[in-house]
């Protein structure tokens, strides 16, 4: 089955999650790309960006980091050199 995500309804802390699950940085990054592509609401875009900037990434794969950087860039946020202390 597919995953349904309401791109204009982030959890109150800004992250996106599957129903009944805690917010997830990877799903939030994909949602951020969708919000940017669909010109989603500014509050939802801002919340998604804040969530992605503040989530630790020390256990993330290279693909997870690349997705997060791409998502932040799509939201108009500049990521220079490192993200949460991880060199890019």
């Amino acid at each position: 089955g597919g995953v349904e995500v309401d791109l204009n309804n982030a959890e109150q802390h800004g992250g996106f999650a599957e129903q009944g699950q805690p917010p997830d940085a990877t799903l939030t990054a994909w949602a951020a790309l969708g919000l940017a592509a669909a010109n989603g609401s500014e509050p939802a875009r801002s919340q998604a960006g804040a969530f992605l900037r503040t989530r630790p990434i020390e256990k993330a794969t290279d693909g997870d980091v690349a997705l997060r950087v791409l998502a932040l860039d799509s939201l108009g946020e500049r990521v220079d050199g490192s993200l949460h202390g991880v060199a890019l």
Side-chain angles (χ1 to χ4, degrees):
V3 175
E4 291 186 31
V5 178
D6 181 351
L7 293 180
N8 288 307
N9 191 20
E11 298 289 323
Q12 66 188 78
H13 34 66
F16 287 82
E18 293 183 46
Q19 187 173 1
Q21 299 296 316
D24 174 85
T26 300
L27 186 57
T28 299
W30 283 112
L33 290 170
L35 285 166
N39 198 27
S41 75
E42 182 58 37
R45 291 168 61 146
S46 180
Q47 288 177 337
F51 182 85
L52 292 172
R53 281 191 315 276
T54 59
R55 299 300 285 191
I57 61 171
E58 59 270 351
K59 293 182 180 180
T61 66
D62 290 346
D64 293 335
V65 174
L67 177 60
R68 192 177 305 198
V69 169
L70 182 62
L72 287 167
D73 183 66
S74 76
L75 295 172
E77 300 197 24
R78 187 176 173 139
V79 179
D80 290 332
S82 72
L83 184 64
H84 297 286
V86 175
L88 302 177

